[in-house]
Amino acid sequence: MTHADILGTSLSAALAATGDDRIVFDLTGIEERYESLLRELPGVAVRFAMKACPVDEVLARLAEAGAGVDAASVPEMEQAVRAGVPIGRVHYGNTVKSDRNIAEAHRLGIRDFATDSLEDVAAIAEHAPGARVFCRLATDTRGALWGLSDKYGCSTADALTILETARKLGLAPSGLSVHVGSQQMTAEAWRSAFERLADVLAALDRRGITLDHVNLGGGLPVLGYLDKHGRPLDPPIDKLFAVIREGMAYLGGIGGHHLDFIVEPGRYLVAGQGAIRAHVSRLSARRGPDGRRQYWLYLSCGKFNGLYEMDELQYPLVFPTHGGPGVRHVPTVVAGPTCDSDDAYSHEHGLVQVPEALASGDPVWVLSCGAYAISYMTRGFNGFGPLPYTCVDGGGAVGSGKGVCGG
């Protein structure tokens, strides 16, 4: 996959026209990703994991296309509603919440709550009486770049007890949910999740509890990333979708009643539709304690203002003023501008070939960073503030703001 394939025409034009540091989102590209997901998984309801890109213009575009939102907090719910997401398409997907969180969400109009413990179910019954609850199962997240085990999800036995208790407390046991880990690279993780879901659905059916939906969570991987060694990450996306479709068909046959499906994509919709225009702070060379000479490329953005996930992957870099044949490259460690040693790619295995003639101020485009770039920015660590953003639609700017939760 070439840089042109990753960027697309709209992002390329917007980056070329930008004279200052900022992140650019392609709204048309995001909507196209949403439409492609519906073609791959016909009939699913999409609840965008807005933590991946809490930008008003993105939320509004997806809402117009028919998506809802997976919200993890009341402020996220409020932002989604302000951006035009109908409250009926917003669910409380976080199993970690206080009594006050539950009550505030219920007053806002939220009626669907995730849960994974008896304590949480009791709190929902008290502070959101009559609500619908879906129980999150623990899953095997091996094969994902970021596993989401331990903190979330319960066992099969606990899920049965939780949903039975929910019914006794006047709640509506409505569904089950799973999450196979973020940027899940294997089909086996999905197969394992469907097997666990099938076991619980069958056991619930024997106990007279009929659910109406299964939430398959997020985890869908994207192209365009490089691993720590600089090699393209190439998830078997077609195979993954085939396994998911087969699993949905299998679950739909358990119990003989209709079952709806929900997915919660985050990075799948936005990762490749966002890119950062940054600049070179300095390309320098110095010798380490072992006497070896090493190049360091310091960028104006890094882990704390746009590239938080750089400890697990590499973002492809484009140097628009240093292209063409005959350009000499040198292997460098790529790092951000802060006085923090974590603000860098892997020193040993993550060397990146960059033009030797780079000078301070030269533009650099950071690709495939539409997911979590805005979300994870600090408000000014070391004085380096969050990047502003611009949204484009078919090449033209349609919105902009500060780089914290949509401005």
Side-chain angles (χ1 to χ4, degrees):
M1 177 176 288
T2 66
H3 291 156
D5 292 329
I6 297 173
L7 271 175
T9 304
S10 294
L11 275 181
S12 295
L15 291 169
T18 298
D20 60 351
D21 287 3
R22 64 180 51 243
I23 183 167
V24 181
F25 296 102
D26 180 2
L27 296 179
T28 300
I30 291 171
E31 185 173 358
E32 289 172 351
R33 291 290 288 173
Y34 171 77
E35 293 170 348
S36 72
L37 178 58
L38 295 184
R39 289 193 295 271
E40 292 285 358
L41 302 177
V44 300
V46 175
R47 298 292 179 261
F48 175 54
M50 65 176 286
K51 65 183 180 181
C53 188
V55 171
D56 290 344
E57 292 85 351
V58 172
L59 297 174
R61 176 57 62 89
L62 288 171
E64 291 170 3
V69 156
D70 163 42
S73 66
V74 172
E76 279 196 342
M77 298 167 196
E78 292 171 339
Q79 182 186 354
V81 171
R82 289 196 306 270
V85 182
I87 193 65
R89 283 195 239 143
V90 180
H91 67 228
Y92 202 155
N94 192 353
T95 61
V96 182
K97 47 195 180 292
S98 68
D99 292 357
R100 180 176 178 178
N101 297 152
I102 295 167
E104 288 177 344
H106 192 250
R107 282 196 295 270
L108 194 63
I110 299 296
R111 294 296 179 265
D112 290 272
F113 293 76
T115 191
D116 63 0
S117 70
L118 289 173
E119 293 81 2
D120 187 63
V121 162
I124 295 171
E126 180 177 356
H127 301 287
R132 291 161 44 87
V133 293
F134 57 99
C135 185
R136 179 164 175 170
L137 300 176
T139 55
D140 184 352
T141 61
R142 285 177 294 181
L145 261 65
W146 295 274
L148 301 176
S149 57
D150 298 331
K151 185 176 182 180
Y152 310 104
C154 63
S155 68
T156 296
D158 280 351
L160 299 176
T161 302
I162 287 167
L163 291 174
E164 284 189 317
T165 301
R167 182 172 61 176
K168 292 176 183 177
L169 295 176
L171 300 173
S174 63
L176 296 172
S177 72
V178 291
H179 201 302
V180 296
S182 192
Q183 187 72 8
Q184 175 57 251
M185 302 289 288
T186 70
E188 287 69 26
W190 287 103
R191 289 195 182 95
S192 175
F194 278 112
E195 290 172 0
R196 183 161 297 187
L197 286 165
D199 289 343
V200 178
L201 284 171
L204 288 170
D205 190 62
R206 291 192 295 270
R207 300 182 185 204
I209 296 178
T210 300
L211 305 182
D212 56 40
H213 78 279
V214 167
N215 182 335
L216 300 175
L220 293 171
V222 296
L223 300 171
Y225 291 140
L226 307 175
D227 69 11
K228 292 181 180 181
H229 302 272
R231 300 170 301 206
L233 285 170
D234 188 20
I237 295 177
D238 290 343
K239 182 178 180 180
L240 296 178
F241 277 126
V243 169
I244 294 170
R245 288 191 294 267
E246 291 168 3
M248 289 167 60
Y250 176 62
L251 295 185
I254 297 176
H257 56 81
H258 179 74
L259 197 62
D260 290 323
F261 291 91
I262 292 172
V263 289
E264 298 174 349
R267 78 173 65 246
Y268 181 83
L269 295 180
V270 298
Q273 312 310 315
I276 290 174
R277 190 280 189 192
H279 69 269
V280 173
S281 292
R282 186 75 61 205
L283 175 61
S284 61
R286 50 191 167 85
R287 297 190 185 279
D290 59 2
R292 289 187 300 172
R293 180 181 176 90
Q294 189 169 59
Y295 287 91
W296 286 77
L297 174 63
Y298 300 104
L299 303 179
S300 60
C301 68
K303 185 169 186 176
F304 303 100
N305 60 336
L307 307 181
Y308 180 82
E309 296 182 333
M310 66 193 301
D311 56 342
E312 289 295 332
L313 53 78
Q314 289 185 19
Y315 302 93
L317 305 178
V318 174
F319 303 94
T321 58
H322 291 271
V327 176
R328 176 178 166 80
H329 289 72
V330 292
T332 70
V333 178
V334 175
T338 66
C339 285
D340 192 298
S341 59
D342 284 341
D343 193 9
Y345 285 171
S346 169
H347 297 194
E348 296 181 2
H349 307 295
L351 299 183
V352 179
Q353 296 290 330
V354 308
E356 186 181 31
L358 286 174
S360 183
D362 285 345
V364 55
W365 299 349
V366 187
L367 312 187
S368 298
C369 53
Y372 298 102
I374 291 286
S375 314
Y376 283 144
M377 286 190 196
T378 66
R379 292 184 177 272
F381 176 62
N382 267 179
F384 296 96
L387 294 172
Y389 73 84
T390 294
C391 294
V392 296
D393 191 358
V398 296
S400 61
K402 296 178 289 184
V404 178
C405 297

